[in-house]
Amino acid sequence: MGFSCGIVGLPNVGKSTIFNALTVSKVSAENYPFTTIEPNIGIVDVPDGRIDVLAGIDKSEKKIYTTLKFVDIAGLVKGASRGEGLGNKFLSHIKEVDAIAYVVRCFINKDVVHVEGDVDPARDIGIINTELLLADLEVVEKRLNRVSKAAKGGSRKLMEEVDFLKRLSLHLSGGAKAIGIQRNPEEDQLIRELNLLTSKPAMYVANVSEVEPADTGEESVYLKQVESEALKEGTDVVVISGKLEAELAELDAGERSEYLKELGIERSGLDKMIGKGYRLLNLLTFFTSGPKEAHAWTVVRGTKAPQAAGRIHSDFEHGFIKAEIISYEDYVKAGSELAAREQGFLRIEGKDYVVQEGDVVHFRFAVASR
């Protein structure tokens, strides 16, 4: 698994249309609120041409790409925390995701009603943020009430947790996301345990009618509003035309590539979201390759060789001896693993080696006797 991404937004902003296009699913995307009640989940391969190249070099029987899971939940509305619409209970469906994509409507279509009456990205972003903050505040208050009672016994650790929860509650009440609060390692662990929605990295997905809105016109103004909000939070904006992505989803891979070329577009919406997601979560890809399979693996930057080996199998981590490393570029340049070895491209690395983007790795390990 590469990473998982929750998709949130108001009704009729194109969430389900984009989800359908990205995952080539066929979930309901009708012109009325609350179409999506239960979460829709789609798992897609992360496109990576390097896998195709490695498989060609090694004549691999299988190609295994890393994957991305999308979770599309019901449209949020103002007052969801007070039970409006479907309420905020369904937000639990995205508790376990790694990142969140806020889909914001920037397109004009009189035939698609907006739940708030008109298109206003800044207002819509405010509504989404408020509802997520209120959902997190509810979680924090419940934990605070429980821990406060237990802390009466005089436990220093629990009293420190109470102090942090109070500070976190004030932070959220002031309209600030949990991801921005100052905390020490112990408090950071607590944030992870609480699994707060606003503690997750987020990107904004601006849904436009055309891939490149004209410099003048309402859609351009809407897009600039989204970019301004993202700038305040220090995050990224992905510009997607849900309409175009839906058209691309109907084509096979070859036709899709040709169509993008005709339009002068370098990357699809999925490619852009993957790129932003990897950047948000500080991820990288390494490979294993051979006659049986060419396989892509995802880890957080800074991961050392034994832990990277553990992504493949826990025995690899526990019995780690060494890692044989060839960079992807050198692997391709040499034309085979054997040639790469002969040309001196292979390096032997130990337990302290930090895996790099594009490493082609062969792990050596010993299986402990049981």
Side-chain angles (χ1 to χ4, degrees):
M1 179 67 71
F3 67 97
S4 55
C5 182
I7 302 177
V8 300
L10 273 61
N12 292 352
V13 299
K15 270 188 325 88
S16 293
T17 297
I18 289 173
F19 174 86
N20 285 342
L22 296 178
T23 62
V24 196
S25 301
K26 295 296 178 185
V27 302
S28 182
E30 304 299 330
N31 180 22
Y32 52 86
F34 319 127
T35 300
T36 310
I37 298 176
E38 291 301 315
N40 297 302
I41 297 174
I43 297 177
V44 299
D45 286 338
V46 173
D48 194 327
R50 294 174 295 181
I51 279 287
D52 303 315
V53 173
L54 290 172
I57 290 173
D58 292 325
K59 297 180 174 57
S60 307
E61 294 176 12
K62 291 197 305 182
K63 294 186 287 187
I64 303 177
Y65 301 87
T66 189
T67 57
L68 167 59
K69 180 169 77 172
F70 288 108
V71 182
D72 174 35
I73 67 165
L76 282 166
V77 295
K78 185 189 298 184
S81 56
R82 303 189 302 273
E84 295 295 329
L86 297 173
N88 67 9
K89 301 302 180 186
F90 57 87
L91 286 172
S92 62
H93 295 312
I94 57 169
K95 281 282 188 179
E96 303 305 320
V97 300
D98 300 310
I100 296 179
Y102 293 44
V103 178
V104 184
R105 177 171 170 173
C106 294
F107 66 85
I108 303 167
N109 186 334
K110 294 179 180 177
D111 294 328
V112 180
V113 298
H114 191 292
V115 70
E116 291 293 321
D118 61 349
V119 178
D120 185 340
R123 176 205 58 211
D124 294 353
I125 289 171
I127 291 172
I128 297 170
N129 282 333
T130 296
E131 297 308 323
L132 266 59
L133 284 166
L134 289 171
D136 282 352
L137 190 58
E138 182 180 352
V139 171
V140 172
E141 291 295 332
K142 285 181 178 178
R143 175 76 171 233
L144 179 58
N145 288 337
R146 181 168 60 82
V147 176
S148 294
K149 293 176 183 176
K152 290 179 180 179
S155 166
R156 180 178 176 181
K157 184 176 181 180
L158 289 178
M159 290 172 68
E160 288 175 349
E161 181 176 333
V162 168
D163 289 341
F164 176 67
L165 289 171
K166 287 180 177 178
R167 183 158 60 89
L168 179 56
S169 178
L170 286 172
H171 181 83
L172 295 170
S173 298
K177 293 184 177 181
I179 197 170
I181 193 170
Q182 294 293 318
R183 69 257 197 186
N184 60 36
E186 291 76 19
E187 293 164 347
D188 189 53
Q189 177 60 35
L190 177 57
I191 288 277
R192 287 197 292 272
E193 287 177 15
L194 292 170
N195 219 355
L196 302 178
L197 295 168
T198 64
S199 70
K200 300 177 185 296
M203 70 179 88
Y204 287 107
V205 178
N207 188 9
V208 297
S209 61
E210 303 294 337
V211 177
E212 295 182 1
D215 292 335
T216 57
E218 288 180 281
E219 288 202 13
S220 176
V221 173
Y222 296 150
L223 179 55
K224 287 175 181 175
Q225 286 182 25
V226 178
E227 291 171 339
S228 176
E229 293 297 322
L231 184 62
K232 291 176 188 175
E233 296 185 24
T235 191
D236 291 323
V237 177
V238 179
V239 181
I240 286 183
S241 167
K243 177 183 175 184
L244 172 62
E245 295 296 327
E247 293 173 1
L248 290 172
E250 299 296 326
L251 307 176
D252 63 34
E255 292 173 326
R256 195 177 304 134
S257 178
E258 285 301 315
Y259 189 29
L260 287 171
K261 284 182 182 177
E262 288 177 16
L263 296 173
I265 300 170
E266 293 184 3
R267 297 190 300 162
S268 70
L270 175 60
D271 291 340
K272 289 190 284 187
M273 285 188 71
I274 289 169
K276 297 292 187 184
Y278 269 60
R279 176 179 160 182
L280 273 176
L281 297 168
N282 204 24
L283 303 175
L284 61 79
T285 301
F286 74 92
F287 305 99
T288 54
S289 185
K292 287 189 176 180
E293 64 181 40
H295 201 309
W297 306 89
T298 302
V299 293
V300 176
R301 289 185 186 277
T303 298
K304 292 186 177 181
Q307 287 69 51
R311 289 283 291 149
I312 300 173
H313 196 286
S314 59
D315 284 348
F316 285 25
E317 180 176 358
H318 297 145
F320 179 88
I321 299 173
K322 63 183 179 180
E324 298 176 353
I325 310 286
I326 304 171
S327 74
Y328 170 78
E329 290 77 11
D330 288 340
Y331 205 100
V332 174
K333 187 188 301 180
S336 72
E337 180 183 348
L338 178 60
R341 288 173 179 270
E342 292 174 345
Q343 294 174 35
F345 290 138
L346 183 142
R347 310 187 313 276
I348 304 297
E349 302 287 357
K351 293 182 178 180
D352 291 330
Y353 176 72
V354 176
V355 175
Q356 301 298 306
E357 173 66 43
D359 278 349
V360 183
V361 188
H362 183 75
F363 292 108
R364 298 289 185 184
F365 67 101
V367 178
S369 58
R370 297 181 181 180

